[in-house]
Amino acid sequence: MSEQKRVMLTVAYDGTNYHGWQLQPNGETIESVLNRELSGLLGESIAVIGASRTDAGVHSNGNAAVFDTCTRIPAEKISYALNQRLPEDIVVQGSKEVEPDFHPRHCESRKTYEYRILNRRFPLPMRRRDTYFYHYDLSVEHMRQAASYLVGEHDFKSFCSTAAEVETTVRTIYSLTVEREEDIIAIRVTGSGFLYNMVRIIAGTLIEVGNGRRAPEDMAKILAACDRGAAGPTAPACGLTMLGIEFR
Amino acid sequence: MSEQKRVMLTVAYDGTNYHGWQLQPNGETIESVLNRELSGLLGESIAVIGASRTDAGVHSNGNAAVFDTCTRIPAEKISYALNQRLPEDIVVQGSKEVEPDFHPRHCESRKTYEYRILNRRFPLPMRRRDTYFYHYDLSVEHMRQAASYLVGEHDFKSFCSTAAEVETTVRTIYSLTVEREEDIIAIRVTGSGFLYNMVRIIAGTLIEVGNGRRAPEDMAKILAACDRGAAGPTAPACGLTMLGIEFR
């Protein structure tokens, strides 16, 4: 054993077979697998702190997690050793030492999420895990116009499933783009932080704009309502991938 | 029952959990699932004829299969009814009536395959099914130069696992491109037809050029050798997707 250090992991996962990030009384989660395999690897009881506690079925290419350890293994080597023990649907992309008081949820960061819609006549088997299949026509142009209302600092209470649990529902969206490439419409959003289900409710609302049920300019009224009932449905988890997080 | 007609299906599948296209004494195949579900749907004993008998673990976005039926269901509607019965990793993309003597392997066609290499430091869980993970540096420029030797009509005996089984090993490649987009290198090849394992051997050989083990101009010698031993290894099945087939 050596002196205690705090290590940050960048964690990619296919969320299909997990009950989300956070520990659950029943069912495997990303956090429970990391805690178990890190404890086994390091011979200590390890409890990670995650940056984004993603929901069941949501994926990530680069979530962040920190933990404290007294191991002699250099922080940079932990990723390689840990990947030997992890299942194929969780792969650590890197590990490094951070300041002992660094907390991935209590510091300034920019998170980027992507919501992917497979918009074609029939589902494609190879994309069934990382897209939401939607076969009606969608106007990317209208979705873009609607998205522009959400950029900036706003009260996103209408786009939050459980507003009661947070101090404030004000958040900042730095960018929100809608791009079509062949059959896939990707909604990519970067923000200071996101409320519970916020990206999926944005996606569900943009889909209702895309299919013509709502007008792009309705977004202003939806924001102003500060009422979850004003926005569209929560789009399914499988379409959502947390792309990464940038700490300032 | 009505008059017999020949119907063509366009079939997409995730090949991960199948023993390839072709019927096998043991194990589920794409063909066995289609035969069983078509027979159940139409109330006749159906045996499909596939255009590309892809290997175990190989995927497709648009393989073709024909079968004869006396059903009254219009050919165009069969895709919808069949998809209700198929597992989520096989989805028919369309169905239509074709000439009674149309045979998808005995007619002129252009097939397009894509071999995808995930070229980065660590595997990405969401791409583990449709890419081959390779972490050493690859020169796309050298792979492109090497690929250029294969375009045109050539004897591809060096790129065929079981040349003894075919009349001729001469084939025509209409185009062969190598593109990198972020971490994915896509080798896309369109040809008049492909020998057994031909695309995977081309991919395996291009990887050896990309990593510097072979020079791009070695491709001329490899072709001229007409010997499987002259080419590189057969790249793993999971990286290969049959994109589609165009009948003339």
Side-chain angles (χ1 to χ4, degrees), chain A residues 121-166:
Chain A
R121 197 167 159 212
F122 291 105
L124 264 187
M126 291 307 289
R127 302 309 299 261
R128 72 190 188 279
R129 283 192 177 77
D130 71 337
T131 62
Y132 163 50
F133 172 68
Y134 186 84
H135 87 282
Y136 296 103
D137 280 348
L138 289 171
S139 160
V140 169
E141 192 42 47
H142 286 178
M143 293 168 78
R144 274 192 195 128
Q145 288 168 23
S148 69
Y149 289 88
L150 302 180
V151 177
E153 187 182 85
H154 299 286
D155 186 336
F156 285 99
K157 196 170 176 189
S158 297
F159 295 89
C160 175
S161 288
T162 52
E165 289 177 17
V166 288

mmCIF file of all heavy atoms in Angstrom, chain A residues 121-166:
data_model
loop_
_atom_site.group_PDB
_atom_site.id
_atom_site.type_symbol
_atom_site.label_atom_id
_atom_site.label_comp_id
_atom_site.label_asym_id
_atom_site.label_seq_id
_atom_site.Cartn_x
_atom_site.Cartn_y
_atom_site.Cartn_z
ATOM 1 N N ARG A 121 -37.844 3.574 -43.260
ATOM 2 C CA ARG A 121 -39.062 2.790 -43.360
ATOM 3 C C ARG A 121 -39.069 1.577 -42.415
ATOM 4 O O ARG A 121 -40.072 1.260 -41.794
ATOM 5 C CB ARG A 121 -39.183 2.315 -44.809
ATOM 6 C CG ARG A 121 -40.563 1.850 -45.171
ATOM 7 C CD ARG A 121 -40.657 1.708 -46.686
ATOM 8 N NE ARG A 121 -41.735 0.835 -47.065
ATOM 9 C CZ ARG A 121 -41.713 0.052 -48.133
ATOM 10 N NH1 ARG A 121 -40.646 0.036 -48.929
ATOM 11 N NH2 ARG A 121 -42.738 -0.717 -48.415
ATOM 12 N N PHE A 122 -37.934 0.877 -42.363
ATOM 13 C CA PHE A 122 -37.846 -0.306 -41.513
ATOM 14 C C PHE A 122 -36.640 -0.172 -40.569
ATOM 15 O O PHE A 122 -35.648 0.456 -40.935
ATOM 16 C CB PHE A 122 -37.645 -1.567 -42.371
ATOM 17 C CG PHE A 122 -38.851 -1.948 -43.189
ATOM 18 C CD1 PHE A 122 -38.880 -1.711 -44.555
ATOM 19 C CD2 PHE A 122 -39.945 -2.555 -42.586
ATOM 20 C CE1 PHE A 122 -39.985 -2.075 -45.311
ATOM 21 C CE2 PHE A 122 -41.054 -2.927 -43.338
ATOM 22 C CZ PHE A 122 -41.081 -2.682 -44.705
ATOM 23 N N PRO A 123 -36.695 -0.795 -39.396
ATOM 24 C CA PRO A 123 -35.526 -0.773 -38.503
ATOM 25 C C PRO A 123 -34.325 -1.467 -39.145
ATOM 26 O O PRO A 123 -34.491 -2.346 -39.999
ATOM 27 C CB PRO A 123 -35.989 -1.577 -37.281
ATOM 28 C CG PRO A 123 -37.462 -1.721 -37.398
ATOM 29 C CD PRO A 123 -37.814 -1.592 -38.849
ATOM 30 N N LEU A 124 -33.140 -1.053 -38.743
ATOM 31 C CA LEU A 124 -31.899 -1.717 -39.163
ATOM 32 C C LEU A 124 -31.357 -2.479 -37.958
ATOM 33 O O LEU A 124 -31.030 -1.863 -36.942
ATOM 34 C CB LEU A 124 -30.851 -0.687 -39.586
ATOM 35 C CG LEU A 124 -30.713 -0.343 -41.057
ATOM 36 C CD1 LEU A 124 -29.495 0.552 -41.249
ATOM 37 C CD2 LEU A 124 -30.614 -1.580 -41.937
ATOM 38 N N PRO A 125 -31.241 -3.813 -38.067
ATOM 39 C CA PRO A 125 -30.803 -4.591 -36.898
ATOM 40 C C PRO A 125 -29.506 -4.084 -36.262
ATOM 41 O O PRO A 125 -29.396 -4.053 -35.039
ATOM 42 C CB PRO A 125 -30.633 -5.999 -37.471
ATOM 43 C CG PRO A 125 -31.602 -6.059 -38.605
ATOM 44 C CD PRO A 125 -31.605 -4.681 -39.200
ATOM 45 N N MET A 126 -28.534 -3.665 -37.086
ATOM 46 C CA MET A 126 -27.249 -3.251 -36.522
ATOM 47 C C MET A 126 -27.335 -1.934 -35.755
ATOM 48 O O MET A 126 -26.403 -1.579 -35.048
ATOM 49 C CB MET A 126 -26.179 -3.132 -37.607
ATOM 50 C CG MET A 126 -25.758 -4.458 -38.220
ATOM 51 S SD MET A 126 -25.247 -5.696 -36.992
ATOM 52 C CE MET A 126 -23.686 -5.020 -36.428
ATOM 53 N N ARG A 127 -28.393 -1.192 -35.928
ATOM 54 C CA ARG A 127 -28.522 0.083 -35.206
ATOM 55 C C ARG A 127 -29.626 0.030 -34.156
ATOM 56 O O ARG A 127 -30.045 1.069 -33.655
ATOM 57 C CB ARG A 127 -28.786 1.231 -36.198
ATOM 58 C CG ARG A 127 -27.731 1.419 -37.271
ATOM 59 C CD ARG A 127 -26.302 1.504 -36.712
ATOM 60 N NE ARG A 127 -26.064 2.589 -35.816
ATOM 61 C CZ ARG A 127 -25.489 3.749 -36.171
ATOM 62 N NH1 ARG A 127 -25.114 3.941 -37.408
ATOM 63 N NH2 ARG A 127 -25.277 4.694 -35.273
ATOM 64 N N ARG A 128 -30.105 -1.153 -33.809
ATOM 65 C CA ARG A 128 -31.230 -1.220 -32.878
ATOM 66 C C ARG A 128 -30.816 -0.858 -31.461
ATOM 67 O O ARG A 128 -31.662 -0.499 -30.641
ATOM 68 C CB ARG A 128 -31.876 -2.610 -32.901
ATOM 69 C CG ARG A 128 -31.065 -3.727 -32.242
ATOM 70 C CD ARG A 128 -31.694 -5.061 -32.539
ATOM 71 N NE ARG A 128 -31.108 -6.163 -31.801
ATOM 72 C CZ ARG A 128 -29.983 -6.784 -32.145
ATOM 73 N NH1 ARG A 128 -29.286 -6.394 -33.212
ATOM 74 N NH2 ARG A 128 -29.535 -7.802 -31.418
ATOM 75 N N ARG A 129 -29.530 -0.940 -31.133
ATOM 76 C CA ARG A 129 -29.100 -0.681 -29.763
ATOM 77 C C ARG A 129 -28.753 0.778 -29.504
ATOM 78 O O ARG A 129 -28.825 1.235 -28.378
ATOM 79 C CB ARG A 129 -27.871 -1.531 -29.427
ATOM 80 C CG ARG A 129 -28.199 -2.966 -29.133
ATOM 81 C CD ARG A 129 -27.000 -3.662 -28.526
ATOM 82 N NE ARG A 129 -27.351 -5.025 -28.189
ATOM 83 C CZ ARG A 129 -27.455 -6.003 -29.072
ATOM 84 N NH1 ARG A 129 -27.217 -5.768 -30.348
ATOM 85 N NH2 ARG A 129 -27.786 -7.217 -28.681
ATOM 86 N N ASP A 130 -28.322 1.504 -30.524
ATOM 87 C CA ASP A 130 -27.835 2.868 -30.266
ATOM 88 C C ASP A 130 -28.648 3.946 -30.984
ATOM 89 O O ASP A 130 -28.187 5.081 -31.097
ATOM 90 C CB ASP A 130 -26.347 2.992 -30.612
ATOM 91 C CG ASP A 130 -26.076 2.958 -32.100
ATOM 92 O OD1 ASP A 130 -26.920 2.426 -32.848
ATOM 93 O OD2 ASP A 130 -25.025 3.468 -32.519
ATOM 94 N N THR A 131 -29.838 3.581 -31.454
ATOM 95 C CA THR A 131 -30.724 4.574 -32.066
ATOM 96 C C THR A 131 -32.153 4.273 -31.631
ATOM 97 O O THR A 131 -32.468 3.159 -31.190
ATOM 98 C CB THR A 131 -30.686 4.515 -33.616
ATOM 99 O OG1 THR A 131 -31.157 3.233 -34.051
ATOM 100 C CG2 THR A 131 -29.292 4.758 -34.171
ATOM 101 N N TYR A 132 -33.004 5.277 -31.794
ATOM 102 C CA TYR A 132 -34.439 5.083 -31.591
ATOM 103 C C TYR A 132 -35.057 5.073 -32.979
ATOM 104 O O TYR A 132 -34.883 6.008 -33.749
ATOM 105 C CB TYR A 132 -34.975 6.236 -30.740
ATOM 106 C CG TYR A 132 -36.477 6.405 -30.790
ATOM 107 C CD1 TYR A 132 -37.338 5.330 -30.578
ATOM 108 C CD2 TYR A 132 -37.029 7.659 -31.031
ATOM 109 C CE1 TYR A 132 -38.713 5.495 -30.624
ATOM 110 C CE2 TYR A 132 -38.409 7.838 -31.070
ATOM 111 C CZ TYR A 132 -39.247 6.758 -30.871
ATOM 112 O OH TYR A 132 -40.605 6.924 -30.922
ATOM 113 N N PHE A 133 -35.732 3.987 -33.300
ATOM 114 C CA PHE A 133 -36.330 3.857 -34.632
ATOM 115 C C PHE A 133 -37.638 4.628 -34.690
ATOM 116 O O PHE A 133 -38.532 4.437 -33.862
ATOM 117 C CB PHE A 133 -36.583 2.378 -34.950
ATOM 118 C CG PHE A 133 -37.370 2.191 -36.218
ATOM 119 C CD1 PHE A 133 -36.807 2.505 -37.445
ATOM 120 C CD2 PHE A 133 -38.674 1.728 -36.187
ATOM 121 C CE1 PHE A 133 -37.536 2.355 -38.617
ATOM 122 C CE2 PHE A 133 -39.413 1.573 -37.353
ATOM 123 C CZ PHE A 133 -38.838 1.897 -38.567
ATOM 124 N N TYR A 134 -37.746 5.506 -35.693
ATOM 125 C CA TYR A 134 -38.945 6.337 -35.865
ATOM 126 C C TYR A 134 -39.195 6.425 -37.350
ATOM 127 O O TYR A 134 -38.356 6.947 -38.089
ATOM 128 C CB TYR A 134 -38.679 7.724 -35.283
ATOM 129 C CG TYR A 134 -39.908 8.606 -35.272
ATOM 130 C CD1 TYR A 134 -40.824 8.516 -34.239
ATOM 131 C CD2 TYR A 134 -40.137 9.509 -36.309
ATOM 132 C CE1 TYR A 134 -41.967 9.315 -34.230
ATOM 133 C CE2 TYR A 134 -41.280 10.305 -36.303
ATOM 134 C CZ TYR A 134 -42.181 10.203 -35.260
ATOM 135 O OH TYR A 134 -43.303 10.986 -35.257
ATOM 136 N N HIS A 135 -40.342 5.918 -37.835
ATOM 137 C CA HIS A 135 -40.456 5.792 -39.286
ATOM 138 C C HIS A 135 -41.237 6.886 -39.988
ATOM 139 O O HIS A 135 -41.227 6.962 -41.209
ATOM 140 C CB HIS A 135 -40.958 4.393 -39.676
ATOM 141 C CG HIS A 135 -42.430 4.244 -39.708
ATOM 142 N ND1 HIS A 135 -43.177 4.102 -38.577
ATOM 143 C CD2 HIS A 135 -43.295 4.227 -40.744
ATOM 144 C CE1 HIS A 135 -44.449 3.978 -38.906
ATOM 145 N NE2 HIS A 135 -44.555 4.066 -40.217
ATOM 146 N N TYR A 136 -41.879 7.786 -39.229
ATOM 147 C CA TYR A 136 -42.561 8.895 -39.919
ATOM 148 C C TYR A 136 -41.542 9.949 -40.351
ATOM 149 O O TYR A 136 -40.473 10.071 -39.763
ATOM 150 C CB TYR A 136 -43.605 9.540 -38.997
ATOM 151 C CG TYR A 136 -44.722 8.599 -38.636
ATOM 152 C CD1 TYR A 136 -44.761 7.986 -37.385
ATOM 153 C CD2 TYR A 136 -45.726 8.304 -39.551
ATOM 154 C CE1 TYR A 136 -45.779 7.103 -37.056
ATOM 155 C CE2 TYR A 136 -46.745 7.420 -39.232
ATOM 156 C CZ TYR A 136 -46.761 6.824 -37.989
ATOM 157 O OH TYR A 136 -47.773 5.942 -37.668
ATOM 158 N N ASP A 137 -41.912 10.715 -41.386
ATOM 159 C CA ASP A 137 -41.015 11.779 -41.866
ATOM 160 C C ASP A 137 -40.754 12.823 -40.781
ATOM 161 O O ASP A 137 -41.668 13.189 -40.036
ATOM 162 C CB ASP A 137 -41.666 12.495 -43.062
ATOM 163 C CG ASP A 137 -41.501 11.703 -44.345
ATOM 164 O OD1 ASP A 137 -40.706 10.733 -44.343
ATOM 165 O OD2 ASP A 137 -42.159 12.043 -45.341
ATOM 166 N N LEU A 138 -39.523 13.284 -40.729
ATOM 167 C CA LEU A 138 -39.153 14.343 -39.782
ATOM 168 C C LEU A 138 -38.496 15.484 -40.561
ATOM 169 O O LEU A 138 -37.625 15.249 -41.407
ATOM 170 C CB LEU A 138 -38.170 13.801 -38.740
ATOM 171 C CG LEU A 138 -38.747 12.820 -37.706
ATOM 172 C CD1 LEU A 138 -37.627 12.193 -36.878
ATOM 173 C CD2 LEU A 138 -39.760 13.521 -36.792
ATOM 174 N N SER A 139 -38.869 16.706 -40.261
ATOM 175 C CA SER A 139 -38.236 17.865 -40.889
ATOM 176 C C SER A 139 -37.068 18.321 -40.020
ATOM 177 O O SER A 139 -37.267 18.864 -38.925
ATOM 178 C CB SER A 139 -39.241 19.018 -41.027
ATOM 179 O OG SER A 139 -38.529 20.236 -41.197
ATOM 180 N N VAL A 140 -35.865 18.052 -40.510
ATOM 181 C CA VAL A 140 -34.666 18.455 -39.771
ATOM 182 C C VAL A 140 -34.607 19.973 -39.667
ATOM 183 O O VAL A 140 -34.194 20.526 -38.641
ATOM 184 C CB VAL A 140 -33.405 17.875 -40.458
ATOM 185 C CG1 VAL A 140 -32.142 18.479 -39.881
ATOM 186 C CG2 VAL A 140 -33.381 16.361 -40.293
ATOM 187 N N GLU A 141 -35.079 20.660 -40.705
ATOM 188 C CA GLU A 141 -35.062 22.120 -40.695
ATOM 189 C C GLU A 141 -35.938 22.674 -39.561
ATOM 190 O O GLU A 141 -35.522 23.552 -38.809
ATOM 191 C CB GLU A 141 -35.542 22.641 -42.067
ATOM 192 C CG GLU A 141 -35.302 24.107 -42.307
ATOM 193 C CD GLU A 141 -33.937 24.586 -41.823
ATOM 194 O OE1 GLU A 141 -32.930 23.918 -42.116
ATOM 195 O OE2 GLU A 141 -33.894 25.620 -41.116
ATOM 196 N N HIS A 142 -37.123 22.110 -39.393
ATOM 197 C CA HIS A 142 -38.001 22.560 -38.297
ATOM 198 C C HIS A 142 -37.415 22.193 -36.931
ATOM 199 O O HIS A 142 -37.521 22.963 -35.980
ATOM 200 C CB HIS A 142 -39.397 21.953 -38.458
ATOM 201 C CG HIS A 142 -40.189 22.584 -39.561
ATOM 202 N ND1 HIS A 142 -41.458 22.170 -39.910
ATOM 203 C CD2 HIS A 142 -39.888 23.605 -40.402
ATOM 204 C CE1 HIS A 142 -41.901 22.913 -40.915
ATOM 205 N NE2 HIS A 142 -40.964 23.781 -41.240
ATOM 206 N N MET A 143 -36.792 21.023 -36.850
ATOM 207 C CA MET A 143 -36.178 20.610 -35.584
ATOM 208 C C MET A 143 -35.049 21.573 -35.206
ATOM 209 O O MET A 143 -34.882 21.937 -34.041
ATOM 210 C CB MET A 143 -35.651 19.173 -35.687
ATOM 211 C CG MET A 143 -36.780 18.135 -35.831
ATOM 212 S SD MET A 143 -36.176 16.482 -36.290
ATOM 213 C CE MET A 143 -35.549 15.875 -34.710
ATOM 214 N N ARG A 144 -34.291 22.004 -36.218
ATOM 215 C CA ARG A 144 -33.207 22.966 -35.980
ATOM 216 C C ARG A 144 -33.732 24.304 -35.494
ATOM 217 O O ARG A 144 -33.176 24.899 -34.571
ATOM 218 C CB ARG A 144 -32.445 23.222 -37.292
ATOM 219 C CG ARG A 144 -31.367 22.242 -37.548
ATOM 220 C CD ARG A 144 -30.465 22.727 -38.692
ATOM 221 N NE ARG A 144 -29.691 21.591 -39.123
ATOM 222 C CZ ARG A 144 -29.585 21.170 -40.368
ATOM 223 N NH1 ARG A 144 -30.168 21.841 -41.362
ATOM 224 N NH2 ARG A 144 -28.870 20.110 -40.645
ATOM 225 N N GLN A 145 -34.793 24.770 -36.152
ATOM 226 C CA GLN A 145 -35.385 26.055 -35.727
ATOM 227 C C GLN A 145 -35.856 25.950 -34.284
ATOM 228 O O GLN A 145 -35.614 26.847 -33.469
ATOM 229 C CB GLN A 145 -36.570 26.422 -36.630
ATOM 230 C CG GLN A 145 -36.165 26.844 -38.035
ATOM 231 C CD GLN A 145 -37.373 26.922 -38.974
ATOM 232 O OE1 GLN A 145 -38.502 27.087 -38.530
ATOM 233 N NE2 GLN A 145 -37.122 26.800 -40.272
ATOM 234 N N ALA A 146 -36.512 24.855 -33.939
ATOM 235 C CA ALA A 146 -36.999 24.657 -32.572
ATOM 236 C C ALA A 146 -35.833 24.593 -31.589
ATOM 237 O O ALA A 146 -35.877 25.186 -30.506
ATOM 238 C CB ALA A 146 -37.822 23.369 -32.502
ATOM 239 N N ALA A 147 -34.772 23.898 -31.985
ATOM 240 C CA ALA A 147 -33.613 23.724 -31.100
ATOM 241 C C ALA A 147 -32.995 25.066 -30.735
ATOM 242 O O ALA A 147 -32.504 25.262 -29.613
ATOM 243 C CB ALA A 147 -32.576 22.822 -31.776
ATOM 244 N N SER A 148 -33.033 26.013 -31.669
ATOM 245 C CA SER A 148 -32.358 27.307 -31.443
ATOM 246 C C SER A 148 -32.957 28.046 -30.236
ATOM 247 O O SER A 148 -32.266 28.830 -29.587
ATOM 248 C CB SER A 148 -32.445 28.176 -32.703
ATOM 249 O OG SER A 148 -33.785 28.601 -32.909
ATOM 250 N N TYR A 149 -34.239 27.789 -29.913
ATOM 251 C CA TYR A 149 -34.861 28.451 -28.760
ATOM 252 C C TYR A 149 -34.260 27.990 -27.434
ATOM 253 O O TYR A 149 -34.388 28.669 -26.426
ATOM 254 C CB TYR A 149 -36.373 28.173 -28.727
ATOM 255 C CG TYR A 149 -37.142 28.881 -29.806
ATOM 256 C CD1 TYR A 149 -37.318 28.304 -31.055
ATOM 257 C CD2 TYR A 149 -37.697 30.141 -29.571
ATOM 258 C CE1 TYR A 149 -38.031 28.957 -32.054
ATOM 259 C CE2 TYR A 149 -38.411 30.799 -30.567
ATOM 260 C CZ TYR A 149 -38.566 30.205 -31.804
ATOM 261 O OH TYR A 149 -39.265 30.857 -32.788
ATOM 262 N N LEU A 150 -33.639 26.823 -27.428
ATOM 263 C CA LEU A 150 -33.164 26.245 -26.165
ATOM 264 C C LEU A 150 -31.730 26.615 -25.833
ATOM 265 O O LEU A 150 -31.282 26.406 -24.697
ATOM 266 C CB LEU A 150 -33.303 24.712 -26.205
ATOM 267 C CG LEU A 150 -34.716 24.178 -26.463
ATOM 268 C CD1 LEU A 150 -34.707 22.651 -26.475
ATOM 269 C CD2 LEU A 150 -35.693 24.690 -25.410
ATOM 270 N N VAL A 151 -31.011 27.152 -26.819
ATOM 271 C CA VAL A 151 -29.605 27.489 -26.580
ATOM 272 C C VAL A 151 -29.517 28.703 -25.653
ATOM 273 O O VAL A 151 -30.294 29.644 -25.787
ATOM 274 C CB VAL A 151 -28.873 27.748 -27.916
ATOM 275 C CG1 VAL A 151 -27.425 28.175 -27.672
ATOM 276 C CG2 VAL A 151 -28.913 26.492 -28.789
ATOM 277 N N GLY A 152 -28.590 28.634 -24.700
ATOM 278 C CA GLY A 152 -28.412 29.734 -23.745
ATOM 279 C C GLY A 152 -28.840 29.309 -22.349
ATOM 280 O O GLY A 152 -29.085 28.119 -22.102
ATOM 281 N N GLU A 153 -28.919 30.286 -21.444
ATOM 282 C CA GLU A 153 -29.332 30.001 -20.071
ATOM 283 C C GLU A 153 -30.844 30.147 -19.967
ATOM 284 O O GLU A 153 -31.393 31.190 -20.329
ATOM 285 C CB GLU A 153 -28.638 30.967 -19.100
ATOM 286 C CG GLU A 153 -28.903 30.609 -17.649
ATOM 287 C CD GLU A 153 -28.256 31.589 -16.676
ATOM 288 O OE1 GLU A 153 -28.879 32.637 -16.378
ATOM 289 O OE2 GLU A 153 -27.138 31.318 -16.215
ATOM 290 N N HIS A 154 -31.493 29.105 -19.511
ATOM 291 C CA HIS A 154 -32.951 29.118 -19.392
ATOM 292 C C HIS A 154 -33.364 28.303 -18.179
ATOM 293 O O HIS A 154 -32.608 27.463 -17.695
ATOM 294 C CB HIS A 154 -33.602 28.463 -20.626
ATOM 295 C CG HIS A 154 -33.317 29.137 -21.918
ATOM 296 N ND1 HIS A 154 -33.885 30.334 -22.284
ATOM 297 C CD2 HIS A 154 -32.501 28.781 -22.944
ATOM 298 C CE1 HIS A 154 -33.433 30.686 -23.483
ATOM 299 N NE2 HIS A 154 -32.591 29.762 -23.900
ATOM 300 N N ASP A 155 -34.592 28.524 -17.752
ATOM 301 C CA ASP A 155 -35.193 27.635 -16.770
ATOM 302 C C ASP A 155 -35.798 26.466 -17.557
ATOM 303 O O ASP A 155 -36.753 26.642 -18.318
ATOM 304 C CB ASP A 155 -36.286 28.377 -15.971
ATOM 305 C CG ASP A 155 -36.829 27.509 -14.837
ATOM 306 O OD1 ASP A 155 -36.720 26.262 -14.936
ATOM 307 O OD2 ASP A 155 -37.346 28.064 -13.867
ATOM 308 N N PHE A 156 -35.212 25.283 -17.390
ATOM 309 C CA PHE A 156 -35.640 24.118 -18.167
ATOM 310 C C PHE A 156 -36.640 23.244 -17.392
ATOM 311 O O PHE A 156 -36.692 22.035 -17.618
ATOM 312 C CB PHE A 156 -34.418 23.302 -18.600
ATOM 313 C CG PHE A 156 -33.628 23.934 -19.727
ATOM 314 C CD1 PHE A 156 -32.476 24.671 -19.468
ATOM 315 C CD2 PHE A 156 -34.051 23.805 -21.044
ATOM 316 C CE1 PHE A 156 -31.752 25.263 -20.504
ATOM 317 C CE2 PHE A 156 -33.338 24.392 -22.079
ATOM 318 C CZ PHE A 156 -32.188 25.122 -21.815
ATOM 319 N N LYS A 157 -37.394 23.855 -16.509
ATOM 320 C CA LYS A 157 -38.323 23.081 -15.686
ATOM 321 C C LYS A 157 -39.293 22.247 -16.547
ATOM 322 O O LYS A 157 -39.662 21.131 -16.175
ATOM 323 C CB LYS A 157 -39.117 24.018 -14.773
ATOM 324 C CG LYS A 157 -39.799 23.290 -13.639
ATOM 325 C CD LYS A 157 -40.372 24.247 -12.602
ATOM 326 C CE LYS A 157 -41.134 23.445 -11.541
ATOM 327 N NZ LYS A 157 -41.892 24.331 -10.644
ATOM 328 N N SER A 158 -39.688 22.774 -17.699
ATOM 329 C CA SER A 158 -40.595 22.016 -18.586
ATOM 330 C C SER A 158 -39.941 20.759 -19.145
ATOM 331 O O SER A 158 -40.617 19.864 -19.637
ATOM 332 C CB SER A 158 -41.057 22.889 -19.762
ATOM 333 O OG SER A 158 -41.801 23.991 -19.310
ATOM 334 N N PHE A 159 -38.600 20.727 -19.082
ATOM 335 C CA PHE A 159 -37.854 19.603 -19.656
ATOM 336 C C PHE A 159 -37.221 18.744 -18.560
ATOM 337 O O PHE A 159 -36.151 18.180 -18.751
ATOM 338 C CB PHE A 159 -36.775 20.132 -20.604
ATOM 339 C CG PHE A 159 -37.344 20.844 -21.806
ATOM 340 C CD1 PHE A 159 -37.617 22.208 -21.775
ATOM 341 C CD2 PHE A 159 -37.636 20.136 -22.967
ATOM 342 C CE1 PHE A 159 -38.160 22.856 -22.884
ATOM 343 C CE2 PHE A 159 -38.171 20.767 -24.074
ATOM 344 C CZ PHE A 159 -38.443 22.133 -24.030
ATOM 345 N N CYS A 160 -37.885 18.655 -17.429
ATOM 346 C CA CYS A 160 -37.324 17.915 -16.292
ATOM 347 C C CYS A 160 -38.400 17.039 -15.685
ATOM 348 O O CYS A 160 -39.508 17.498 -15.387
ATOM 349 C CB CYS A 160 -36.801 18.914 -15.256
ATOM 350 S SG CYS A 160 -36.213 18.122 -13.764
ATOM 351 N N SER A 161 -38.049 15.741 -15.493
ATOM 352 C CA SER A 161 -39.043 14.797 -14.979
ATOM 353 C C SER A 161 -39.323 14.974 -13.499
ATOM 354 O O SER A 161 -40.437 14.781 -13.046
ATOM 355 C CB SER A 161 -38.582 13.359 -15.223
ATOM 356 O OG SER A 161 -38.677 13.052 -16.585
ATOM 357 N N THR A 162 -38.324 15.319 -12.707
ATOM 358 C CA THR A 162 -38.507 15.408 -11.254
ATOM 359 C C THR A 162 -37.868 16.682 -10.734
ATOM 360 O O THR A 162 -36.862 16.650 -10.014
ATOM 361 C CB THR A 162 -37.881 14.191 -10.541
ATOM 362 O OG1 THR A 162 -36.533 14.073 -11.009
ATOM 363 C CG2 THR A 162 -38.642 12.922 -10.807
ATOM 364 N N ALA A 163 -38.472 17.804 -11.084
ATOM 365 C CA ALA A 163 -37.906 19.113 -10.738
ATOM 366 C C ALA A 163 -37.805 19.311 -9.232
ATOM 367 O O ALA A 163 -36.964 20.060 -8.747
ATOM 368 C CB ALA A 163 -38.746 20.219 -11.363
ATOM 369 N N ALA A 164 -38.666 18.621 -8.468
ATOM 370 C CA ALA A 164 -38.701 18.826 -7.024
ATOM 371 C C ALA A 164 -37.363 18.498 -6.353
ATOM 372 O O ALA A 164 -37.045 19.046 -5.303
ATOM 373 C CB ALA A 164 -39.811 17.963 -6.417
ATOM 374 N N GLU A 165 -36.591 17.615 -6.992
ATOM 375 C CA GLU A 165 -35.370 17.140 -6.337
ATOM 376 C C GLU A 165 -34.159 18.049 -6.497
ATOM 377 O O GLU A 165 -33.109 17.779 -5.940
ATOM 378 C CB GLU A 165 -35.007 15.742 -6.869
ATOM 379 C CG GLU A 165 -35.982 14.677 -6.377
ATOM 380 C CD GLU A 165 -35.665 13.310 -6.961
ATOM 381 O OE1 GLU A 165 -34.542 13.121 -7.468
ATOM 382 O OE2 GLU A 165 -36.543 12.441 -6.899
ATOM 383 N N VAL A 166 -34.261 19.099 -7.306
ATOM 384 C CA VAL A 166 -33.087 19.951 -7.518
ATOM 385 C C VAL A 166 -33.325 21.371 -6.996
ATOM 386 O O VAL A 166 -34.462 21.842 -6.929
ATOM 387 C CB VAL A 166 -32.691 20.008 -9.012
ATOM 388 C CG1 VAL A 166 -32.086 18.695 -9.448
ATOM 389 C CG2 VAL A 166 -33.867 20.383 -9.892
#
